[in-house]
Amino acid sequence: MNYKNITVAGSGVLGSQIAYQTAFHGFQVSVYDINDEALELAKERIKKLKPRYQEDLKATQEEVDAAYDRLSFYSDLAEAVKDADLVIEAVPERVEIKVDFYKKLAAVAPDKTVFVTNSSTLLPSQFAEATGRPEKFLALHFANEIWKNNTAEVMKHPGTDMQYFDQIIEFAKAIGMVALPLYKEQPGYILNSLLVPFLEAAQMLLVKEVSDPETIDKTWMIATGAPLGPFAILDVVGIRTAYNITLAKAEATGNEEFMKLAELLKREYIDKGKLGRETGEGFYKYPNPSFAQPGFLKG
Ligand code: NAD
């Protein structure tokens, strides 16, 4: 892997973090977004990352400033990818936006450029054709707060050439990630393939009135030694996200229990402003939730 110039397309929540993390590890990074307003927002967002890197990674002022100086900003796609070895796509999670983006990108990117998508829920094979270079296209999926939650799920689609898969694994490591290879397409990658059914099973115990969140979490924590139970994790994910996933599933399957769960999440949590950790209350009250009290696991 001898990548030098990286372009990050889409400079929102994740794109800003990916761009800064990549620059922090010494790469030249071009940030592309649709217009100057979006780029101004990205600059503000990225500047706010500097103190986070200083606090969480003990980075020095010189290091965080030097990383920022390795970024350049473009609203012209051809300019942004002129000499790119790699384009990391982090545009909104909408099929039509991504397809349109890849068609435009394919028309202006050099032949050598490898493309990766950071999509959370869509599969790379949905866009492989639009990229015009399916063999040089795959998924590279980061987690929010990338500098701390440093997983990078690297996922092939059937047409990805292994040499580019290997290069992306190497690149992910070079920007401080733990690279996690997925050799086959899997909706939800590894993490959400485990987490979504786990959280769903816990919520089903609640909606069927088998038990309450504290008891369910306590069972899991004592039996497995895990630091958080499913309802504590749901508070981190956010109840709104849990509700959206449940409602989509209820509508798609017509399953009554999912519908009941969606109603419960809305009535008892969302309508009461209990959205999880971000609002100070969800299934637990923060900053001192009961599951973190010394006696919680004792009785
Ligand atoms: P976001 O809405 O914060 O940012 C999207 C950015 O893309 C905006 O700056 C917007 O101006 C820009 N944009 C819109 N249309 C564009 C186009 N045609 N070309 C270039 N840029 C365009 O979204 P986000 O949360 O950063 O998510 C981006 C991608 O990252 C999605 O695929 C999402 O699934 C994935 N992702 C998000 C998270 C997360 O926690 N937010 C985590 C992992 C992966």
Side-chain angles (χ1 to χ4, degrees), residues 10 12-14 32-34 90-93 98 118-120 141-142:
V13 174
L14 254 283
Y32 166 72
D33 211 305
I34 39 175
V91 311
E93 192 72 344
K98 291 200 195 269
N118 179 47
S119 172
S120 295
H141 181 238
F142 297 98

Side-chain angles (χ1 to χ4, degrees), residues 33-103:
D33 211 305
I34 39 175
N35 54 37
D36 290 341
E37 283 102 283
L39 290 172
E40 285 310 311
L41 285 175
K43 288 178 192 168
E44 291 314 307
R45 230 183 249 120
I46 295 173
K47 281 180 193 152
K48 286 193 189 136
L49 295 175
K50 289 186 180 186
R52 307 290 307 275
Y53 276 61
Q54 289 180 284
E55 205 179 302
D56 295 336
L57 304 182
K58 308 293 168 230
T60 64
Q61 187 69 48
E62 291 72 37
E63 285 169 334
V64 296
D65 290 343
Y68 191 86
D69 292 341
R70 283 192 280 276
L71 298 167
S72 36
F73 296 85
Y74 301 89
S75 56
D76 179 319
L77 184 58
E79 274 292 305
V81 302
K82 204 168 56 188
D83 192 26
D85 298 302
L86 173 66
V87 172
I88 305 174
E89 172 269 306
V91 311
E93 192 72 344
R94 298 249 308 272
V95 178
E96 67 281 11
I97 294 181
K98 291 200 195 269
V99 168
D100 181 59
F101 170 75
Y102 281 118
K103 284 188 179 155

Side-chain angles (χ1 to χ4, degrees), residues 15-293:
S16 299
Q17 295 179 16
I18 297 165
Y20 193 63
Q21 177 75 12
T22 304
F24 186 74
H25 283 269
F27 292 88
Q28 292 298 326
V29 180
S30 301
V31 178
Y32 166 72
D33 211 305
I34 39 175
N35 54 37
D36 290 341
E37 283 102 283
L39 290 172
E40 285 310 311
L41 285 175
K43 288 178 192 168
E44 291 314 307
R45 230 183 249 120
I46 295 173
K47 281 180 193 152
K48 286 193 189 136
L49 295 175
K50 289 186 180 186
R52 307 290 307 275
Y53 276 61
Q54 289 180 284
E55 205 179 302
D56 295 336
L57 304 182
K58 308 293 168 230
T60 64
Q61 187 69 48
E62 291 72 37
E63 285 169 334
V64 296
D65 290 343
Y68 191 86
D69 292 341
R70 283 192 280 276
L71 298 167
S72 36
F73 296 85
Y74 301 89
S75 56
D76 179 319
L77 184 58
E79 274 292 305
V81 302
K82 204 168 56 188
D83 192 26
D85 298 302
L86 173 66
V87 172
I88 305 174
E89 172 269 306
V91 311
E93 192 72 344
R94 298 249 308 272
V95 178
E96 67 281 11
I97 294 181
K98 291 200 195 269
V99 168
D100 181 59
F101 170 75
Y102 281 118
K103 284 188 179 155
K104 290 186 174 132
L105 177 64
V108 294
D111 284 346
K112 67 167 181 177
T113 314
V114 176
F115 302 166
V116 292
T117 179
N118 179 47
S119 172
S120 295
T121 60
L122 306 168
L123 292 170
S125 56
Q126 291 177 261
F127 312 112
E129 202 190 311
T131 67
R133 57 188 77 192
E135 74 290 350
K136 289 198 187 86
F137 176 57
L138 63 156
L140 172 59
H141 181 238
F142 297 98
N144 195 13
E145 308 214 329
I146 168 173
W147 65 96
K148 288 193 299 180
N149 304 330
N150 62 335
T151 54
E153 295 182 288
V154 179
M155 184 169 79
K156 276 180 96 257
H157 71 87
T160 310
D161 185 321
M162 274 310 276
Q163 71 170 297
Y164 302 109
F165 183 81
D166 293 341
Q167 287 177 10
I168 296 301
I169 297 267
E170 220 182 301
F171 169 74
K173 291 179 185 167
I175 60 164
M177 297 290 115
V178 175
L180 306 162
L182 281 82
Y183 301 102
K184 287 197 173 155
E185 274 196 327
Q186 168 66 31
Y189 301 85
I190 295 173
L191 179 61
N192 283 332
S193 297
L194 297 168
L195 192 58
V196 172
F198 173 65
L199 297 179
E200 198 176 285
Q203 293 173 94
M204 279 299 135
L205 292 174
L206 176 66
V207 82
K208 289 179 183 168
E209 299 177 4
V210 173
S211 196
D212 59 89
E214 286 197 344
T215 305
I216 297 166
D217 278 10
K218 197 179 285 184
T219 309
W220 184 254
M221 290 163 75
I222 296 172
T224 68
L228 298 178
F231 289 96
I233 296 175
L234 280 163
D235 278 351
V236 177
V237 171
I239 313 283
R240 208 189 282 283
T241 300
Y243 169 74
N244 288 334
I245 294 172
T246 306
L247 187 64
K249 191 143 182 182
E251 286 172 353
T253 61
N255 180 303
E256 264 176 44
E257 244 136 22
F258 280 107
M259 195 46 90
K260 236 170 111 182
L261 176 60
E263 281 161 16
L264 178 131
L265 292 173
K266 180 154 192 322
R267 188 180 66 242
E268 297 301 322
Y269 297 92
I270 295 176
D271 289 351
K272 293 181 179 169
K274 299 179 185 178
L275 301 183
R277 262 189 200 226
E278 59 165 319
T279 56
E281 188 170 359
F283 292 103
Y284 294 94
K285 279 194 181 145
Y286 298 89
N288 297 307
S290 60
F291 68 80
Q293 306 300 315

